[in-house]
Amino acid sequence: MILSLLPSKNRDVVETQEHYKSRWRSIWIMYLTMFLSSVGFSIVIMSVWPYLQKIDPTADGSFLGWIIASYSIGQMIASPLFGVWSNYRPRREPLVVSTAISVAANCLYAYVHVPPSHNKYYMLTARALVGFGAGNVAVVRSYIAGATSLTERTSAMANTSACQAIGFILGPVFQTCFTLIGEEGVTWKLIDLQLNMYTAPVLFGALLGIINIILIFAVFREHRVDDMGRQCSSINFEGEGSGILDQDAEGNVDHIAVVAMNFLFFVILFVFAVFETIATPLTMDMYSWTREKAVFYNGIILSVIGIESVTVFMVVKMLSKRTGERAILHAGLLIVLIGFFILLPWGKKLPNIQWQEIKNNSIPQTISSEMVIPFWSLQAMQLPSNHSEPVGCPVTQSWCLNTPLIYLAQYISSDILIGLGYPVCNVMSYTLYSKLLGPKPQGVYMGWLTASGSGARILGPVFVSQIYTHLGPRWAFSLICGVVIISLLVLEIVYKRLIAFSVRYGRMQEENC
């Protein structure tokens, strides 16, 4: 999006070098906060299941699903609350409090083995509180939106999403490094602390959270600029340097466009949650992979997609200056649609059928043919040492008998396309959303956007477990394609409304959008 300033008496206000440096130091602290929030989610994902089995043998696979979902539930609840808080008080307050909650929750996770019973509920509480603390991403994005001009916004939002993606990628890497400590590790009897491969990652996360709090106090400053980059007095807090009064706050937000963007963001995260959840069961059914192979190969694929996403985030920053955010969002949705369309089964070849029922006592009884567990859960499962694990498409899934095989080339091509389209849609959604709101307080709005994304991550795995398991990939991917087509229609309807606040009210001109 290329913007040019209209002449005005107040356009000659120049940001000082000191203010510029302080503003960007604060934005970098927000990048770090976003990175740590995503690390807090992914750093224990691979070890949740074996740790849960160790501390509470009564926990089954369904309870594991609740533990995984509790993070998103906590974030969905907290995001609007922290958003409201950041609108009326200095943002340092919700940032420090939310990070402190995450630190405390990580410490609680390290002690869930101590109670004599109901340990699984303590773990559930700990993960929900970590997610609650991660609700500060609404504050982070609202601050970045308010502390950047329109010309800086896309780049800053792309950097924020890149930090989030890198956090998701590095979390499991940190976990892998901590496995060197072993399952027993060492025990500090004085404070009843076990330092092992399960607790070390969360304690490391708590340490990073403390460092983050220190940096928020020492470096972070409340800054705000208007769409043209002029220094302004903060809407929610006046302090830290004098600024000019922002006259651009006059005018109403286009709520139709805001609702449409919330819907589009929900769809984007929903389809990606479906994609990453379905990876393991789909490849096990179609290619007769064992759980170990499915987890290993999909882990490699998802890691490559993560690297691809970070690259896309960087490219999008440059591309948006030429084509505009709306066109890129449209292209991203089309790429996602093609990615899922490719996955539709065709041809006459059927997958190998798994005729024998799973009754081997060496396989965890919590896993049934009726239950689909996300790939991150399967990563942590201990497979039987023998080679009697049934492979192929279970006959209990009736669609296996008449649904054509999805070829491996289809699956890989789909992975590449979705890995390209998702980050494009993610960045453009946040960027357009923040520009729609303009100089208005964005805490609550960003809170609702984050909550819609959390809701999508909760419903996505539920959708997979029901539609895919009972009706098969043809129905599942057809419905996903239908949802993406609806989102494209919504985008077409509101396309002309998705313009920056200042452009809408004639304070700036928009070109090549």
Side-chain angles (χ1 to χ4, degrees):
M1 181 181 292
I2 301 176
L3 299 158
S4 60
L5 302 184
L6 292 176
S8 174
K9 295 179 181 179
N10 296 324
R11 301 307 187 210
D12 57 353
V13 179
V14 180
E15 181 183 30
T16 64
Q17 189 69 16
E18 181 182 356
H19 180 272
Y20 178 85
K21 291 181 178 179
S22 177
R23 179 165 65 91
W24 278 99
R25 280 196 298 266
S26 299
I27 291 173
W28 276 97
I29 295 299
M30 295 298 95
Y31 292 161
L32 174 64
T33 303
M34 181 65 78
F35 169 79
L36 294 180
S37 293
S38 58
V39 167
F41 170 78
S42 61
I43 198 170
V44 299
I45 286 300
M46 293 176 62
S47 64
V48 167
W49 177 241
Y51 190 37
L52 180 61
Q53 289 181 311
K54 179 181 179 181
I55 65 171
D56 196 335
T58 65
D60 57 13
S62 61
F63 197 85
L64 172 65
W66 280 107
I67 289 179
I68 298 297
S70 64
Y71 178 94
S72 295
I73 294 173
Q75 188 179 52
M76 183 173 63
I77 295 172
S79 295
L81 300 179
F82 287 130
V84 172
W85 190 349
S86 70
N87 273 3
Y88 298 100
R89 294 290 302 168
R91 290 187 179 90
R92 182 182 285 126
E93 293 179 5
L95 287 171
V96 169
V97 170
S98 60
T99 307
I101 290 174
S102 293
V103 170
N106 281 324
C107 293
L108 173 61
Y109 187 94
Y111 279 94
V112 294
H113 65 280
V114 174
S117 62
H118 303 102
N119 305 77
K120 61 184 180 182
Y121 296 108
Y122 290 101
M123 180 180 285
L124 178 70
T125 302
R127 292 304 295 167
L129 287 174
V130 171
F132 192 91
N136 61 13
V137 299
V139 183
V140 169
R141 292 197 183 272
S142 67
Y143 177 81
I144 291 174
T148 54
S149 65
L150 286 186
T151 55
E152 298 170 327
R153 191 79 46 81
T154 301
S155 177
M157 287 296 180
N159 290 340
T160 306
S161 296
C163 289
Q164 189 176 34
I166 293 171
F168 283 125
I169 295 170
L170 291 183
V173 175
F174 292 147
Q175 169 71 78
T176 302
C177 294
F178 285 117
T179 57
L180 299 175
I181 300 176
E183 191 171 31
E184 296 302 322
V186 295
T187 301
W188 191 354
K189 294 184 178 180
L190 182 63
I191 57 176
D192 205 10
L193 175 64
Q194 292 183 2
L195 187 64
N196 53 37
M197 59 182 287
Y198 304 126
T199 61
V202 292
L203 293 174
F204 177 68
L207 175 63
L208 292 178
I210 293 172
I211 294 173
N212 192 24
I213 291 174
I214 294 172
L215 290 174
I216 289 173
F217 277 114
V219 180
F220 178 80
R221 296 293 181 268
E222 192 79 29
H223 289 296
R224 185 168 170 271
V225 298
D226 63 11
D227 285 349
M228 281 70 73
R230 300 173 301 169
Q231 183 179 354
C232 303
S233 298
S234 178
I235 289 178
N236 62 328
F237 175 59
E238 302 211 4
E240 286 165 32
S242 59
I244 64 170
L245 181 62
D246 183 20
Q247 302 296 333
D248 289 352
E250 298 176 2
N252 297 319
V253 172
D254 187 345
H255 286 97
I256 293 177
V258 167
V259 172
M261 285 306 305
N262 272 277
F263 170 75
L264 292 174
F265 188 69
F266 175 88
V267 170
I268 292 163
L269 266 69
F270 176 82
V271 297
F272 188 75
V274 169
F275 163 72
E276 64 178 2
T277 303
I278 209 170
T280 293
L282 178 68
T283 52
M284 290 174 64
D285 292 344
M286 291 294 155
Y287 315 125
S288 301
W289 288 354
T290 62
R291 295 189 188 94
E292 186 176 9
K293 283 186 177 180
V295 168
F296 178 73
Y297 292 144
N298 282 301
I300 294 175
I301 291 171
L302 289 167
S303 298
V304 172
I305 289 175
I307 297 171
E308 178 189 11
S309 297
V310 174
T311 304
V312 171
F313 289 138
M314 300 299 103
V315 173
V316 158
K317 295 193 296 184
M318 298 178 288
L319 189 61
S320 64
K321 296 178 181 179
R322 296 185 177 183
T323 61
E325 288 88 357
R326 294 178 297 181
I328 295 179
L329 176 59
H330 194 279
L333 285 170
L334 282 175
I335 292 172
V336 171
L337 174 61
I338 296 171
F340 276 99
F341 183 79
I342 287 175
L343 277 177
L344 291 175
W346 58 279
K348 296 182 179 179
K349 184 178 180 180
L350 298 178
N352 294 330
I353 304 299
Q354 177 194 132
W355 290 101
Q356 84 175 88
E357 295 181 4
I358 300 178
K359 292 183 178 180
N360 191 332
N361 291 330
S362 66
I363 299 176
Q365 297 299 310
T366 55
I367 304 175
S368 71
S369 60
E370 294 286 318
M371 184 176 71
V372 177
I373 298 178
F375 77 92
W376 53 72
S377 304
L378 285 167
Q379 280 181 309
M381 293 188 179
Q382 296 176 337
L383 302 176
S385 57
N386 57 40
H387 299 283
S388 61
E389 177 188 346
V391 295
C393 202
V395 69
T396 50
Q397 295 178 165
S398 58
W399 57 264
C400 292
L401 301 175
N402 51 39
T403 301
L405 177 74
I406 297 174
Y407 294 93
L408 185 59
Q410 288 178 264
Y411 179 67
I412 298 297
S413 300
S414 175
D415 288 346
I416 294 172
L417 289 171
I418 295 172
L420 173 63
Y422 168 71
V424 168
C425 295
N426 184 287
V427 174
M428 292 302 101
S429 296
Y430 275 117
T431 303
L432 283 169
Y433 194 71
S434 64
K435 290 185 176 183
L436 280 172
L437 302 176
K440 299 292 184 180
Q442 297 194 10
V444 175
Y445 289 104
M446 285 293 179
W448 286 118
L449 191 69
T450 303
S452 67
S454 299
R457 288 197 301 271
I458 296 169
L459 293 178
V462 175
F463 173 89
V464 169
S465 64
Q466 298 300 316
I467 303 299
Y468 174 81
T469 304
H470 295 98
L471 300 178
R474 180 171 283 156
W475 272 96
F477 300 138
S478 295
L479 289 173
I480 288 295
C481 288
V483 170
V484 178
I485 289 172
I486 291 173
S487 68
L488 282 166
L489 292 175
V490 170
L491 178 58
E492 286 296 326
I493 292 171
V494 300
Y495 194 86
K496 293 183 179 180
R497 308 180 77 121
L498 301 181
I499 57 176
F501 186 93
S502 297
V503 173
R504 182 171 177 239
Y505 285 98
R507 301 186 181 107
M508 300 181 75
Q509 288 182 336
E510 183 179 37
E511 301 172 6
N512 299 338
C513 202

